[in-house]
């Protein structure tokens, strides 16, 4: 995809340059426009195609046919990615993905597009290992920690915030929490992200990122102590909390882990919820007072 973007950019720039400098195969004025347009595109096409083809040949020759433009680019990306998908690296990139959300960028999907091949490799390897030796043969891969970003109500583990919000003093928080509670149980927290809102909200952005890291740390401990086992069945759809973890591992301990993580996530969210609730409640009361005076 990235190479496709690059090719489109280069081709457009070549086309623009040729048009600006009138570099084209000129045809007589009596020729129909369709024929003129076809010949006009020949030189820009050649200027774009020949260098790309030459680059492909050079890369294949230099690597003994192991890589082309696209596969070579992926190999370059994979080098730093292998370092980032260590346990410390996963904490860094997952925290960064949460930070992106705070600025309105879907950090989860960006990260998933990069990590999905590694997650599928880990699932495939563990599926084969489980078939040969059962649970004892499973291997923990750091990429397994990616799921801890969204165990409790979606990215940022925001379900505790929705639960707290049901008893908030602020009418806005109560209204958003009622709407967000059931979707949050299914791992969908856009109502919280956009309704509270969490984006561009420094009070709620702090626990949003912090809850990711805390739940990831707890989940890492769960794997290390043997309470959790790595998934070996791919579950590629949204399910209520605990369901995907059960079907992915066929183990009840993994299923209830999502609900246990409500506790540390709630501890992270509660003080920031109280500050934001008091702030909004004060604004709502001031607004009502001003309306009554008017």
């Amino acid at each position: 995809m990235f190479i496709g973007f690059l090719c489109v950019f280069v081709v457009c720039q070549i086309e623009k340059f040729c048009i600006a400098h009138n570099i084209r195969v000129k045809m007589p004025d009596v020729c129909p426009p369709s024929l003129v347009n076809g010949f006009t595109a020949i030189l820009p096409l050649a200027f774009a195609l020949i260098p790309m083809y030459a680059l492909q040949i050079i890369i294949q020759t230099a690597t003994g046919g192991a890589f082309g433009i696209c596969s070579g680019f992926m190999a370059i990306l994979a080098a730093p990615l292998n370092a980032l998908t260590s346990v410390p690296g996963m904490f860094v990139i997952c925290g960064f993905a949460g930070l992106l959300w705070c600025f309105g960028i879907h950090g989860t999907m960006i990260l998933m597009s990069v990590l999905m091949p590694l997650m599928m490799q880990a699932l495939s390897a563990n599926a084969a290992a489980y078939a040969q030796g059962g649970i004892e043969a499973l291997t923990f891969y750091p990429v397994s920690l990616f799921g801890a970003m969204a165990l409790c109500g979606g990215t940022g583990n925001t379900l505790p915030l929705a639960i707290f919000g049901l008893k908030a003093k602020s009418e806005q928080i109560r209204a958003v929490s009622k709407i967000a509670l059931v979707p949050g149980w299914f791992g969908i927290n856009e109502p919280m992200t956009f309704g509270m809102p969490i984006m561009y909200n420094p009070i709620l952005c702090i626990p949003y990122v912090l809850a990711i890291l805390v739940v990831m740390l707890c989940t890492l401990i769960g794997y290390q102590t043997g309470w959790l086992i790595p998934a070996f069945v791919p579950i590629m759809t949204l399910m209520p909390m605990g369901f995907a973890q059960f079907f992915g591992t066929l183990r009840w301990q993994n299923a209830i882990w999502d609900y246990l993580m409500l506790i540390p996530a709630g501890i992270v969210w509660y003080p920031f919820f109280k500050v934001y609730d008091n702030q909004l409640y004060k604004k709502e009361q001031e607004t009502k007072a001003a309306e009554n005076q008017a």
Side-chain angles (χ1 to χ4, degrees), residues 32-201:
S34 59
L35 185 61
V36 173
N37 292 336
F39 275 86
T40 299
I42 290 177
L43 289 180
L45 177 62
F47 293 149
L49 180 60
I50 293 174
M52 288 292 181
Y53 186 63
L55 180 61
Q56 174 78 0
I57 293 176
I58 292 171
I59 294 175
Q60 287 182 332
T61 302
T63 60
F67 297 105
I69 294 177
C70 295
S71 56
F73 180 74
M74 290 303 298
I76 293 173
L77 285 181
L81 185 61
N82 290 334
L84 286 175
T85 50
S86 63
V87 169
M90 287 300 299
F91 276 84
V92 172
I93 59 178
C94 288
F96 182 68
L99 186 62
L100 289 178
W101 260 115
C102 297
F103 294 94
I105 302 171
H106 203 313
T108 309
M109 292 306 299
I110 293 174
L111 189 56
M112 183 177 290
S113 66
V114 177
L115 294 182
M116 181 60 71
L118 299 178
M119 289 189 286
M120 295 307 297
Q121 289 175 9
L123 282 167
S124 299
N126 276 326
Y130 182 82
Q132 294 294 324
I135 290 177
E136 291 74 15
L138 297 177
T139 300
F140 167 74
Y141 295 93
V143 74
S144 303
L145 294 173
F146 172 73
M149 288 184 62
L151 285 183
C152 314
T155 303
N157 298 296
T158 56
L159 189 59
L161 177 61
I163 296 173
F164 296 148
L166 296 175
K167 298 296 183 180
K169 294 183 293 183
S170 165
E171 295 178 4
Q172 174 182 323
I173 294 179
R174 287 202 307 273
V176 172
S177 297
K178 290 177 183 177
I179 296 172
L181 192 63
V182 174
W185 187 48
F186 281 81
I188 302 170
N189 68 343
E190 276 75 6
M192 297 294 293
T193 305
F194 301 113
M196 279 295 174
I198 294 174
M199 289 193 316
Y200 300 106
N201 185 337

